[in-house]
Amino acid sequence: DIDKVGKTPDTLTFFYMLGSWSIGDYWKEEALNLAYRLLTNGFGLSPERLAVTVFGGYMGIPPDKESKRIWEDLGFSPERIFVIEGEDNLWSMGETGPLGPCTEVFYDRGEEYGTRAIPGDNSQRYVEIWNAGVFMEYTRDEDQTLSPLRNRCVDTGAGLERLTAVLMGKSSVFEVPPLSQLVELISQEASVESPNAPEYQRVISDHLRASIHIANEGVMPSNKLQGYVLRRLIRRTIGLSDLLGIENPLKLVEGSIEVLSQEIQYRSTQTVKAIFEYEYKTFLRTLERGKKQLAKYLDSSESDLIPGEVAFRLLDTYGFPLELTISIAKERGFRVDIEGFRELMEQHRRISKAN
């Protein structure tokens, strides 16, 4: 979801997940009653502001009529129960293993966010606050045969930041601490005005938080696994900071470390700073070379669409990330052929694998 961060009010690369499990114990009736009681009696949310989705059937698995009946018994009107067919409300471990239907709870922000909106669409009216029940009752074999699990399980999950935003009456996770504090810190350091500044500030705040957590675990930037995730987040932070005219992104790191001390028990703040400083120095030359090559192309282009091969060459030859190509292009009124880029990336992967 990295491409959605900053564009939506509640997408994050790093968040705290609240959850609970029942392994071979209680089932749907108790799970949904517990969820409803906590949201309404515990957190004080109005029942009229809640909507739910239930599984409508897929891959030979029948619709989850039991969850629908339980929500109805709890007082949900038909207008607030959305039956979703297909895989959106079906959880699985992968091609094989446990799977089962799920039912999700959404908070309705009101008709001002869309009169025809439904939970799970691209509107901002409904925000998912709890997957109140992943009901694992099947297992799938390699030949795709479904069999009942010996012990049925219930898994629930709720994003702390989204739930906090709803409880505080905010419309975005970036309006609640610590992300709101990071956004303010970034805003104070920025020296360039841009219509895209609010989006960039949200992206940087998320990426800084995620990167600092990862670096605190001792992960080093690299081109593989966790190290690649950290490198990608830090480099995007550096690139967007450059677009906002932030001369020294490392100053942001220091301020963010202090802000995040409320949620992180640091092993060594000096190590975290050193990791960011190393990656900043490593990436700085790449950033300048890539910016120069991209500017040269944009200055001479007669089309507002940057071909996928141009974006791919910037990455392959100069190590210039696609996300930065998209952001810089956006600043100058250009678009990027992302599909063309992805096709070339896939070709590159196939060739690399064959070799």
Side-chain angles (χ1 to χ4, degrees):
D1 287 339
I2 188 170
D3 297 330
K4 296 181 182 178
V5 174
K7 296 181 175 67
T8 69
D10 48 29
T11 302
L12 300 169
T13 59
F14 175 93
F15 62 94
Y16 282 96
M17 178 69 83
L18 311 178
S20 60
W21 271 84
S22 167
I23 303 176
D25 191 4
Y26 63 81
W27 192 231
K28 297 179 182 180
E29 190 82 42
E30 187 167 354
L32 300 190
N33 272 273
L34 286 170
Y36 183 74
R37 282 164 48 195
L38 180 59
L39 290 172
T40 56
N41 298 343
F43 293 145
L45 295 177
S46 168
E48 297 303 316
R49 285 283 194 170
L50 301 179
V52 297
T53 60
V54 296
F55 178 64
Y58 184 64
M59 290 180 57
I61 300 175
D64 187 3
K65 295 180 180 179
E66 184 179 359
S67 290
K68 184 174 183 291
R69 190 265 308 163
I70 296 169
W71 288 124
E72 290 171 344
D73 291 347
L74 286 168
F76 281 78
S77 64
E79 295 77 23
R80 293 189 291 119
I81 301 176
F82 296 82
V83 178
I84 309 295
E85 296 182 359
E87 60 184 345
D88 284 351
N89 274 62
L90 179 67
W91 181 90
S92 69
M93 249 179 75
E95 292 298 317
T96 61
L99 77 160
C102 60
T103 180
E104 299 167 336
V105 183
F106 291 77
Y107 183 79
D108 184 357
R109 290 191 173 119
E111 289 189 352
E112 60 268 31
Y113 289 93
T115 55
R116 296 186 178 182
I118 63 172
D121 64 10
N122 292 323
S123 73
Q124 297 181 17
R125 175 170 176 175
Y126 293 97
V127 54
E128 183 188 342
I129 55 175
W130 198 350
N131 194 334
V134 175
F135 300 118
M136 285 169 271
E137 54 183 313
Y138 305 100
T139 183
R140 183 163 51 195
D141 299 329
E142 291 184 0
D143 62 1
Q144 302 301 292
T145 300
L146 295 177
S147 306
L149 277 176
R150 184 177 62 183
N151 291 314
R152 300 181 304 185
C153 303
V154 181
D155 175 22
T156 75
L160 176 61
E161 293 81 358
R162 290 186 184 186
L163 194 54
T164 302
V166 166
L167 293 174
M168 292 180 66
K170 303 297 184 181
S171 60
S172 167
V173 295
F174 296 97
E175 296 176 17
V176 299
L179 289 165
S180 59
Q181 296 165 281
L182 297 180
V183 167
E184 178 62 26
L185 175 67
I186 296 159
S187 176
Q188 291 174 356
E189 292 296 324
S191 62
V192 173
E193 292 186 6
S194 165
N196 302 310
E199 177 186 325
Y200 296 161
Q201 290 166 7
R202 291 191 292 268
V203 174
I204 295 171
S205 67
D206 167 81
H207 287 12
L208 275 172
R209 185 188 187 206
S211 300
I212 289 172
H213 271 276
I214 296 171
N216 188 55
E217 294 299 319
V219 176
M220 289 294 294
S222 70
N223 292 325
K224 295 181 180 179
L225 303 174
Q226 300 96 325
Y228 173 70
V229 174
L230 179 58
R231 168 160 287 170
R232 188 176 177 187
L233 292 173
I234 292 178
R235 292 191 171 191
R236 196 177 187 202
T237 297
I238 295 168
L240 293 181
S241 296
D242 183 68
L243 289 178
L244 290 177
I246 297 174
E247 294 184 3
N248 184 8
L250 297 178
K251 188 175 179 182
L252 288 181
V253 176
E254 292 186 7
S256 299
I257 286 174
E258 183 176 348
V259 168
L260 295 173
S261 62
Q262 60 190 293
E263 68 177 29
I264 300 178
Q265 185 173 354
Y266 290 109
R267 301 181 182 189
S268 169
T269 57
Q270 292 304 314
T271 299
V272 174
K273 291 177 186 178
I275 289 173
F276 274 86
E277 185 174 356
Y278 165 81
E279 191 61 17
Y280 176 63
K281 291 179 178 178
T282 302
F283 183 56
L284 203 54
R285 186 181 174 200
T286 297
L287 179 64
E288 293 305 318
R289 289 172 62 202
K291 282 170 54 182
K292 187 180 295 184
Q293 292 297 321
L294 179 56
K296 187 186 298 184
Y297 175 83
L298 297 179
D299 290 341
S300 62
S301 177
E302 297 180 358
S303 169
D304 68 347
L305 180 65
I306 301 174
E309 55 263 32
V310 172
F312 177 77
R313 186 170 66 250
L314 285 169
L315 175 64
D316 189 48
T317 305
Y318 300 99
F320 200 70
L322 174 65
E323 292 92 347
L324 293 186
T325 299
I326 293 172
S327 297
I328 292 174
K330 188 176 179 181
E331 287 291 310
R332 294 189 52 175
F334 285 79
R335 300 173 294 122
V336 178
D337 177 11
I338 298 175
E339 282 304 312
F341 172 86
R342 287 174 177 163
E343 288 176 7
L344 290 168
M345 279 296 296
E346 185 57 34
Q347 291 178 21
H348 178 72
R349 289 192 187 99
R350 286 199 297 267
I351 294 171
S352 297
K353 188 176 182 180
N355 291 337

